[in-house]
Amino acid sequence: MPAHADSSPDTDTDSRLARIAGAIAEPARSRMLCSLMDGRARTATELATVAGVSPSTASVHLARLRDDGLLSQVAQGKHRYFRLASDDVAAALEGLMFIAGAAPSRFEPNTPNRLRHARTCYDHIAGALGVQLHDRLHAQGWLSGLDSGAYQLSDAGAIALQTLGLDIDALRQRPRRFACPCLDWSERRAHLGGALGAGWLALSLRRGWLRQGPGDRALSITPKGVRELPEVFALGAPRHNA
């Protein structure tokens, strides 16, 4: 057999497939992966609890999953979160879970309801409302680059947001990232950060769509917000203030 046969593309693919299968097959690691199938990110401590292992053992498992391309790590402030590396990873796990008859675990946040619903994150909107705004802008095709650290605003998005009252040119001139994902610590999914996120919060407060209490991060949706932008603010009438 030729000396180079063992390093052929097919052999490399087989070896990598075997390594990935081995990474998934370990029970603690498979529990970690399954817990992330809801699309949210979790800390190493949370994943250690899910897997039923010590924090030090969890770190070893997470390093293996990250090195094998199954997980990505996200830094948010002083915290480090882990999530599935891609949609392809999620699709592969979904197929394996279907065969195994398993179901993903449900994420149960411990954030107080009023803060989980809507709050400020520095100078932009966080909580369920912030995540919904983020997803809405992407679903409309106004923002692109969902898997990147910097979003691009489409021409249609710029026109729509300027019509609502945002000065897009001024926001672009700010000495910071224009639009970027910010991992929400209660929803464990991205909300909109950067100058665009800050501009949207300022506009929402100025237009009376949102209200913020003195000395409190919690935001409340006003009836005017629900009436004028139902596709963004209609998260349930009982949750807004009269």
Side-chain angles (χ1 to χ4, degrees), residues 3 11 15 23 30-31 34 42 54 60 73 91 97 107 116 139 144 192 201 207 211 214 224 236:
T11 302
S15 297
S30 67
R31 286 194 290 270
C34 288
R42 288 174 171 77
S54 67
V60 174
Q73 183 174 310
M97 291 170 68
F107 178 69
R116 184 186 176 193
S144 61
L192 180 63
L201 172 59
R207 295 286 294 269
R211 182 184 298 120
K224 182 180 180 183

Side-chain angles (χ1 to χ4, degrees), residues 83-131:
R83 61 187 178 195
L84 296 182
S86 67
D87 290 343
D88 289 339
V89 172
L93 291 173
E94 183 74 23
L96 291 173
M97 291 170 68
F98 176 78
I99 294 172
S105 60
R106 183 178 178 183
F107 178 69
E108 295 290 349
N110 56 10
T111 309
N113 284 338
R114 67 189 186 87
L115 289 178
R116 184 186 176 193
H117 175 59
R119 64 182 184 277
T120 57
C121 176
Y122 183 47
D123 60 359
H124 51 270
I125 303 171
L129 179 62
V131 171

Side-chain angles (χ1 to χ4, degrees), residues 10-241:
D10 287 345
T11 302
D12 291 344
T13 300
D14 292 343
S15 297
R16 177 154 175 74
L17 178 60
R19 178 172 176 80
I20 292 175
I24 297 174
E26 203 286 328
R29 291 195 290 265
S30 67
R31 286 194 290 270
M32 291 177 174
L33 291 169
C34 288
S35 72
L36 297 170
M37 283 294 290
D38 59 3
R40 293 179 167 88
R42 288 174 171 77
T43 64
T45 300
E46 290 168 335
L47 290 170
T49 300
V50 167
V53 297
S54 67
S56 60
T57 300
S59 295
V60 174
H61 286 318
L62 291 169
R64 167 72 186 272
L65 293 170
R66 185 187 59 221
D67 292 346
D68 285 344
L70 297 172
L71 293 184
S72 61
Q73 183 174 310
V74 181
Q76 189 72 32
K78 64 181 180 179
H79 299 292
R80 298 294 180 271
Y81 296 90
F82 294 86
R83 61 187 178 195
L84 296 182
S86 67
D87 290 343
D88 289 339
V89 172
L93 291 173
E94 183 74 23
L96 291 173
M97 291 170 68
F98 176 78
I99 294 172
S105 60
R106 183 178 178 183
F107 178 69
E108 295 290 349
N110 56 10
T111 309
N113 284 338
R114 67 189 186 87
L115 289 178
R116 184 186 176 193
H117 175 59
R119 64 182 184 277
T120 57
C121 176
Y122 183 47
D123 60 359
H124 51 270
I125 303 171
L129 179 62
V131 171
Q132 177 168 306
L133 170 64
H134 170 276
D135 293 350
R136 173 74 180 173
L137 293 176
H138 282 281
Q140 288 287 99
W142 295 350
L143 284 181
S144 61
L146 190 57
D147 295 324
S148 70
Y151 295 150
Q152 294 79 47
L153 183 65
S154 68
D155 291 342
I159 293 172
L161 294 177
Q162 285 176 156
T163 300
L164 289 173
L166 281 177
D167 187 338
I168 299 300
D169 290 336
L171 294 176
R172 291 190 186 280
Q173 297 302 314
R174 293 188 182 181
R176 61 189 296 187
R177 285 186 291 179
F178 172 66
C180 59
C182 183
L183 186 64
D184 196 278
W185 58 259
S186 61
E187 298 302 301
R188 303 302 174 85
R189 296 175 55 218
H191 60 245
L192 180 63
L196 185 61
W200 181 262
L201 172 59
L203 175 67
S204 297
L205 293 172
R206 187 168 67 249
R207 295 286 294 269
W209 297 333
L210 294 178
R211 182 184 298 120
Q212 184 175 17
D216 195 347
R217 292 178 58 200
L219 295 168
S220 57
I221 302 170
T222 67
K224 182 180 180 183
V226 175
R227 184 173 62 253
E228 295 188 0
L229 287 179
E231 69 278 10
V232 174
F233 290 128
L235 291 182
R239 292 180 174 179
H240 65 69
N241 291 341

